[in-house]
């Protein structure tokens, strides 16, 4: 099998899977997977590190393998292998080995696609883009920190990583560290448990020139980590190192965040990203299609861009769905196909399915009240309906796992994920159960 064939196949596999898992989940764990070697019996796929390998093997291997077998019509096995072949996937510049295992495994990796060249400019992101470029050109000299905020799926992570790519391209020896707020926090907790805090702190002081922290809203309510982060911030800032932060809201609006941290976050420049206007949405779609080597007809561009307006990630997943559908039917992408393929996504908006309605419908079906359904109680008679409600939120709305978590009493992203997986498994095994879930879904779509 030629390597370009296997790459193409793998990218189709990822496109299919992309529509079935949460986008953050996909971006973090699955998107960086790449084919190292392929035969008719086996695909050897590279992962960044052991942590990724364990996670993907546990939660995604089966699904990936199924889709791979479906796409190729062959009984192909999937084997993961930690691969250091692609330096770009490693976010720590050239001194990765200097970092502790906690920090190294915390970094989820860069996407090679998140560069300035692939970011479409528009009025909604102009200021954030200009600031990011200025910072990338002269780290530490312009705005420090740069704080980028905006709703989910609007390009914050893309810009943050674009800064990293640019800086590394200018200077191979630049030491940069990209972490999410959550990763940083976990690394900190581990270091505290192992009594290696001194070492943990020391790493930042002289080993980082550019500190990229994604989703700092995660620090909300985590007091001790905030204090630690405050010190890290000060040490780096004091040494003239560039810091860039992103968040889903502006510093002043992050709840349960210490005043002094809020004030630090506001020291430099705060730039927001808003949902893109129609022209920008069309340009983004055009660009993405062009990169994959095809053009979309005008009416399709209009249809998708008009109906999907708040989130670029969703635009992308619509495109992936269109490609897949066109592939399966072996016909070109036209308006008729687009309407059919995107029916569920676009109709769910029109019918205005929201978590409140889902909770109400599921609660009344199981004769529970809505409070019980979103409570922390662990009786099985409540947890199953609760998981169904979560599943329906995921399927019928555009909510992210995190947003679903907050609607269900502040549960975290991985709890929600495992609840969804439980429902999916049970639906596969028990057709009565699946029928019940489908009935509830139809009920919601009708109203
Ligand atoms: P956020 O971090 O704000 O939730 P991401 O940076 O992950 O959003 O962006 C979601 C997806 O949308 C990514 O695949 C990204 O490449 C794409 N994207 C967002 N904004 C743009 C843009 N202006 N041009 C091109 N792609 C974009
Ligand atoms: Mg992000």
């Amino acid at each position: 099998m030629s390597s370009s064939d296997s790459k193409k196949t793998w990218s189709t596999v990822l496109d299919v899977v992309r529509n079935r898992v949460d986008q953050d989940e996909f971006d973090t764990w699955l998107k960086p997977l790449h084919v190292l070697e392929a035969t008719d019996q086996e695909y050897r796929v590279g992962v960044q590190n052991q942590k990724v390998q364990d996670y993907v093997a546990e939660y995604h291997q089966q699904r990936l393998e199924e889709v791979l077998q479906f796409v190729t019509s062959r009984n192909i096995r999937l084997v993961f292998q930690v691969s250091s072949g692609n330096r770009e996937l490693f976010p720590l510049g050239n001194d990765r080995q200097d970092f502790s295992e906690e920090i190294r495994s915390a970094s989820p990796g860069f996407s090679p696609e998140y560069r300035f060249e692939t970011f479409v400019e528009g009025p909604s992101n102009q200021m954030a883009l200009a600031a990011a470029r200025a910072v990338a050109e002269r780290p530490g000299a312009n705005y420090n920190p740069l704080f980028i905020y905006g709703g989910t799926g609007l390009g914050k992570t893309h810009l943050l990583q674009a800064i990293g790519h640019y800086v590394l391209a200018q200077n191979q020896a630049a030491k940069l560290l990209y972490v999410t707020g959550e990763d940083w926090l976990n690394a900190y907790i581990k270091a505290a448990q192992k009594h290696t805090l001194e070492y943990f702190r020391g790493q930042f002081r002289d080993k980082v020139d550019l500190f990229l922290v994604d989703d700092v809203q995660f620090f909300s309510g985590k007091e001790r980590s905030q204090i630690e982060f405050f010190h890290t911030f000060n040490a780096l800032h004091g040494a003239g190192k560039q810091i860039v932060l992103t968040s889903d809201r502006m510093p002043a609006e992050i709840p349960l965040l210490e005043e002094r941290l809020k004030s630090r976050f506001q020291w430099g420049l705060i730039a927001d990203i808003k949902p893109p206007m129609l022209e920008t949405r069309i340009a983004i779609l055009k660009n993405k299609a062009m990169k994959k080597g095809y053009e979309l007809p005008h009416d399709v561009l209009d249809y998708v861009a008009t109906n999907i307006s708040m989130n670029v990630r969703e635009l992308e997943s619509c495109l992936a769905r269109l490609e897949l559908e066109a592939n399966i039917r072996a016909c070109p992408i036209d308006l008729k196909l687009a309407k059919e393929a995107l029916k569920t996504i676009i109709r769910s908006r029109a019918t205005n399915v929201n978590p409140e309605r889902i909770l109400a419908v599921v609660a009344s079906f199981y004769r529970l009240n809505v409070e019980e359904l979103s409570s922390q109680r662990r009786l099985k008679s409540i947890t199953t309906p609760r998981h169904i409600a979560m599943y329906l939120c995921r399927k019928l709305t555009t909510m992210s796992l995190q947003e679903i978590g907050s609607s269900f009493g502040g549960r975290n992203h991985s709890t929600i994920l495992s609840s969804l997986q439980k429902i999916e498994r049970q639906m596969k095994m028990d057709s009565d159960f699946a029928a019940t879930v489908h009935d509830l879904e139809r009920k919601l779509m009708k109203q």
Side-chain angles (χ1 to χ4, degrees), residues 156-157 214-215 313:
K156 302 182 295 295
T157 299
D214 212 353
D215 293 321
R313 191 174 292 138

Side-chain angles (χ1 to χ4, degrees), residues 105-322:
S105 59
S107 300
F110 263 13
S111 162
E113 288 161 36
Y114 290 174
R115 296 170 179 278
F116 286 127
E117 297 80 33
T118 53
F119 193 82
V120 175
E121 182 172 359
S124 60
N125 60 36
Q126 220 156 28
M127 173 169 154
L129 176 61
R133 277 188 186 282
V135 159
E137 256 153 41
R138 296 185 56 209
N142 287 306
Y143 315 110
N144 207 6
L146 170 61
F147 190 102
I148 300 173
Y149 77 93
T152 170
L154 296 182
K156 302 182 295 295
T157 299
H158 188 137
L159 274 186
L160 190 67
Q161 297 199 4
I163 297 174
H165 282 301
Y166 189 93
V167 168
L168 265 188
Q170 301 300 305
N171 174 10
Q172 276 287 315
K175 299 177 207 158
L176 53 112
L177 179 57
Y178 166 78
V179 284
T180 65
E182 183 174 8
D183 291 333
W184 190 88
L185 186 110
N186 290 335
Y188 161 69
I189 291 172
K190 267 194 219 154
Q193 281 166 350
K194 286 195 186 162
H195 308 289
T196 51
L197 274 177
E198 271 318 304
Y199 179 58
F200 177 81
R201 290 172 186 141
Q203 299 182 98
F204 297 101
R205 271 176 223 141
D206 25 287
K207 290 180 195 153
V208 178
D209 300 325
L210 175 60
F211 190 31
L212 306 170
V213 193
D214 212 353
D215 293 321
V216 295
Q217 73 274 6
F218 196 82
F219 291 142
S220 163
K222 318 276 182 354
E223 270 168 53
R224 274 210 286 163
S225 322
Q226 287 178 24
I227 297 170
E228 187 65 35
F229 193 77
F230 176 77
H231 292 305
T232 301
F233 184 102
N234 287 345
L236 289 173
H237 195 275
K241 311 296 180 158
Q242 179 70 50
I243 302 169
V244 187
L245 310 158
T246 75
S247 162
D248 65 354
R249 62 199 80 183
M250 53 198 296
E253 287 173 3
I254 301 178
L256 303 175
L257 186 69
E258 281 213 34
E259 279 312 316
R260 52 186 178 163
L261 210 46
K262 272 186 196 166
S263 109
R264 288 295 187 279
F265 287 177
Q266 301 179 47
W267 264 357
L269 180 77
I270 300 186
D272 71 334
I273 306 189
K274 296 205 175 63
M277 297 172 36
L278 183 64
E279 290 74 28
T280 316
R281 299 202 294 275
I282 291 180
I284 291 174
L285 283 171
K286 261 192 189 159
N287 245 29
K288 304 255 171 206
M290 199 170 68
K291 262 208 343 237
K292 299 198 173 172
Y294 64 92
E295 260 183 65
L296 285 172
H298 282 294
D299 50 359
V300 173
L301 282 171
D302 271 349
Y303 176 71
V304 178
T306 311
N307 283 290
I308 307 289
S309 61
M310 297 303 287
N311 184 329
V312 179
R313 191 174 292 138
E314 264 173 42
L315 283 178
E316 289 181 344
S317 73
C318 284
L319 203 57
R321 200 174 281 208
L322 289 182

Side-chain angles (χ1 to χ4, degrees), residues 29 58 124:
W29 302 103
E58 176 158 4
S124 60

